Amino acid sequence: MILTILRVMLIGLLRDRGALAMIFLLPPAIYLIFAAIFSGTGQGNPELRMGLHVARADAALEAAIEAMPLQTLRRYDDPALLRLDLTEGRLDAGLVLSGALDDVDAAPFLLLVDPGKPMVAALLDGRLRAHLGAGMPDAMARRQMNALSRRIGPLAPTGPPDPEAAAPAALTAVEVVGDPEATDPTVTYYAGAIAVMFLLFSATQTAAGLIDDRRSGLLDRFAATPAGIDVVVMGRFAFLVLQGFVQAGAVFAVAALVDGVPVAEHPLGWVVVTALVALAAAGMGMVAAVLCTTRAQAQTVATFVVLVSSALGGSMVPRFLMPDRLREIGSFSPNAWAIDAYQGLLVRGQPLAALAEPLLALGALGVLGIAGSVLISRRRMML
Amino acid sequence: MIPLPRHADAPPVLRVEGLDIAYGTAPVLHGIDLRIGAGEAHCLLGRNGAGKTTLVRAILGRIRPRAGTVTVEKGRVALVPQDIALFPKLTVRENLAAFARLSGLPRGAIGARVAETMAQAGIAERRDERVETLSGGWQRRVNIAAAILDTPRLLVLDEPTVGVDAAARAGLHALIDDLRAGGMGILVVTHDLDEAATLCGHAILLDAGRVVRAGPIADLMEGAFRHDLRLSIAFVDPAEMPRAAALTGLEIAGEGLTGMVADAAGGLHLVESLTAAGIAVRAVSLERPALAHLHDALTAGSAP
């Protein structure tokens, strides 16, 4: 008896492509994404975009920095330009070469860090130490010796240490570019990241109601009215946009009240960004609903697409921690566009014009989504 | 309800002429000609795959024909789908108001029209109940009411009483007949031949994409069976059936013999011949042939 049930369930599973994909395809896919992200990070090789300004020329040091494993290293003659690119999200960090390596009175490097990526400072500091230690061992050893002498006195027995001497400087000084009083940027990051992920889940879930309408004959009924089915598709889309907007509002309201995410400082910008994120999510949800035949099918597709898009787009792990290849793939996800837009607005305080790229991408996804949904649903109704 | 013209020379509410439809290269309907007049109820019959759904889609304007035309008076056709195609979380009145707006009724006229339709469909007492809480019979009434808000000229009903009990079915039949009597053209798509015979004065029999018979049911029955009666005989010993069939010329059907006879005397004569041959008869029935018999006779070759 038990074997019969086992057999029936096995046959049922083997004949359900959606369930097979969810059970056997999605977990390895998510594993591959996370393994790629964390293996890249764990091996100390984050593919960062760094800007370099040389305030004090040192050919050997510059050559060593240029050999560092980074995604991009861009040189800046003007440090103000470097700060601007960092502020506008085109760089993950900036490095100002400002002193000699063996000078322990001042940090030879000033690390400029995007406030939305605070862990970049620790990552780069570690990478810099390891890289210089391997590439310029003599210079690093000299610095260490100098620092040690400063702390315990000259290594040669010429006298006791000077108790008045200043403590040796660290290798890198860190400056977070932006408002030092600003809310923890990580909190703001995850407000956007979580909001967009759940907007996508809700939109695909609610849009699947269109499948019920089709199966119950509601669409057939509408097709015979002057309103036609376009009205149903567009009405559902409008509802999804509204639902998404309110849903994101709930997330950010909590984030603002509990963690001080500065939504109130950028009300118009927040409304525009959130409306476009909701538009994009609604567009994606509607396309899934018009392409799928059953609710179960839509649920499978939605879960698959939303989870992968969220993993690659930075809703689970920040994209700057990802290997270059994954980061590139992730840059095509609505999660990445939404997070970039929220980060630019709420963390870096950028004007909407400076966020045109992610905002246009979100808007285009929404518009293409609804246009495609209308055309596909018309085609499905008109045989 | 807006009264519709019913005089004899009124234009038909539906006219289908020379309709040919194909899915890709596969022909589905060939040379279909139909006419439904105001105040007429037609049932569309045929086995699965005969082309009923395609014909309905063509009437609703959802398929581009390869040839031929479909004309609905003033383009006003409404569909009552087989499933309950309503908004389940909305009340009866909210549902009808939504459908009235989608039907393009003027905003100021919606309240009155909804009230009028609820009264006509006999659902006014349930106006404030959510559709999802209603029984199947009530839901089917609302399903019909939602389709008649803008008084269509032609109402297409797909299996309008499936899954409801006998009392609810009778109520639905009365409602549909009221609509017909009000001048609406009715097209009922059904596999329930008893219902078809009860609801409709006319039948359209579709087989393999062609209309094999169409017209008043009484005329079709007379044309097929004249005034013949249908004789059915059951036996004490079913093993005697082959011998009985050979003796009488009747056909074996299920656990007995069946066939047409010209009159009651003819039937009695056959039974007497069986008794004389020593074959014990358990039951005999003599009845007028039903629409189902015509359907079976005309579509027997297409059984899946």
Side-chain angles (χ1 to χ4, degrees), chain B residues 64 145 237 253:
Chain B
R64 290 183 194 92
D237 180 5

Side-chain angles (χ1 to χ4, degrees), chain B residues 27-116:
Chain B
V28 181
L29 294 177
H30 326 260
I32 305 287
D33 292 306
L34 289 177
R35 178 195 178 283
I36 296 179
E40 289 178 0
H42 292 236
C43 54
L44 180 58
L45 308 174
R47 294 183 184 277
N48 291 333
K52 299 190 298 295
T53 304
T54 303
L55 179 55
V56 167
R57 283 182 169 173
I59 291 169
L60 294 172
R62 298 237 328 256
I63 299 180
R64 290 183 194 92
R66 196 166 60 177
T69 57
V70 176
T71 313
V72 179
E73 189 190 354
K74 297 186 179 173
R76 284 167 63 178
V77 54
L79 171 73
V80 180
Q82 178 175 340
D83 290 324
I84 304 300
L86 300 165
F87 300 108
K89 301 281 181 201
L90 268 56
T91 65
V92 169
R93 185 166 42 186
E94 288 166 342
N95 259 286
L96 295 190
F99 283 109
R101 277 191 286 273
L102 290 166
S103 299
L105 289 180
R107 186 172 288 272
I110 288 175
R113 182 62 194 140
V114 166
E116 194 181 2

Side-chain angles (χ1 to χ4, degrees), chain A:
Chain A
M1 299 286 250
I2 290 172
L3 278 178
T4 305
I5 297 298
L6 193 73
R7 185 168 175 275
V8 168
M9 295 204 64
L10 184 64
I11 292 170
L13 176 63
L14 292 174
R15 290 176 185 172
D16 185 343
R17 280 178 292 180
L20 283 173
M22 285 288 285
I23 294 169
F24 300 116
L25 209 57
L26 185 60
I30 295 292
Y31 158 75
L32 284 175
I33 292 168
F34 278 90
I37 293 169
F38 289 112
S39 65
T41 318
Q43 287 161 13
N45 190 23
E47 298 188 37
L48 299 170
R49 300 166 300 166
M50 193 173 80
L52 173 67
H53 170 65
V54 179
R56 180 188 173 281
D58 183 330
L61 208 49
E62 287 170 47
I65 291 168
E66 282 179 349
M68 275 178 71
L70 296 161
Q71 185 196 347
T72 50
L73 178 69
R74 196 179 307 157
R75 276 178 165 269
Y76 289 80
D77 292 331
D78 183 351
L81 275 181
L82 189 157
R83 285 171 183 274
L84 182 69
D85 278 359
L86 190 61
T87 307
E88 297 186 350
R90 287 186 284 274
L91 294 174
D92 298 312
L95 186 67
V96 178
L97 175 51
S98 54
L101 197 57
D102 54 3
D103 178 4
V104 294
D105 288 322
F109 300 108
L110 173 64
L111 261 176
L112 304 174
V113 183
D114 181 335
K117 301 165 185 170
M119 66 184 81
V120 166
L123 283 169
L124 263 183
D125 182 70
R127 289 303 303 144
L128 201 56
R129 281 175 195 280
H131 188 70
L132 293 179
M136 303 175 71
D138 48 340
M140 285 298 280
R142 219 169 18 251
R143 179 179 176 77
Q144 293 299 329
M145 296 288 279
N146 289 346
L148 202 60
S149 301
R150 176 70 59 85
R151 287 188 183 282
I152 64 169
L155 294 179
T158 56
D162 178 3
E164 301 299 316
L171 181 67
T172 56
V174 176
E175 178 190 334
V176 175
V177 178
D179 179 4
E181 299 298 313
T183 308
D184 179 357
T186 309
V187 169
T188 308
Y189 180 95
Y190 276 104
I194 295 298
V196 64
M197 184 168 74
F198 279 94
L199 249 69
L200 288 171
F201 271 123
S202 310
T204 46
Q205 178 71 23
T206 309
L210 193 68
I211 296 168
D212 298 334
D213 290 352
R214 192 164 56 225
R215 292 173 79 85
S216 74
L218 207 52
L219 288 191
D220 288 326
R221 168 170 266 167
F222 287 131
T225 68
I229 55 163
D230 290 2
V231 167
V232 184
V233 176
M234 287 192 281
R236 268 197 181 272
F237 176 76
F239 176 79
L240 290 181
V241 174
L242 189 65
Q243 173 186 277
F245 189 86
V246 175
Q247 190 180 19
V251 174
F252 276 96
V254 172
L257 290 172
V258 177
D259 293 315
V261 171
V263 177
E265 291 169 28
H266 311 276
L268 179 66
W270 183 85
V271 166
V272 172
V273 172
T274 303
L276 288 169
V277 173
L279 195 80
M284 264 181 79
M286 290 304 293
V287 168
V290 295
L291 286 177
C292 294
T293 311
T294 64
R295 210 174 227 285
Q297 204 178 38
Q299 233 151 11
T300 304
V301 169
T303 307
F304 202 99
V305 170
V306 175
L307 272 182
V308 171
S309 169
S310 298
L312 290 172
S315 279
M316 298 174 183
V317 178
R319 286 176 59 236
F320 70 85
L321 291 176
M322 297 180 187
D324 191 26
R325 201 158 30 94
L326 281 190
R327 193 198 297 221
E328 271 177 32
I329 297 169
S331 66
F332 293 101
S333 87
N335 302 64
W337 303 329
I339 292 168
D340 284 352
Y342 280 125
Q343 286 288 94
L345 181 76
L346 301 176
V347 176
R348 295 192 288 268
Q350 290 177 271
L352 288 174
L355 305 172
E357 201 176 309
L359 294 182
L360 283 174
L362 288 165
L365 179 61
V367 171
L368 288 175
I370 182 59
S373 306
V374 167
L375 292 176
I376 295 166
S377 56
R378 275 187 199 165
R379 172 134 187 80
R380 287 190 82 133
M381 294 302 283
M382 285 296 295
L383 297 170

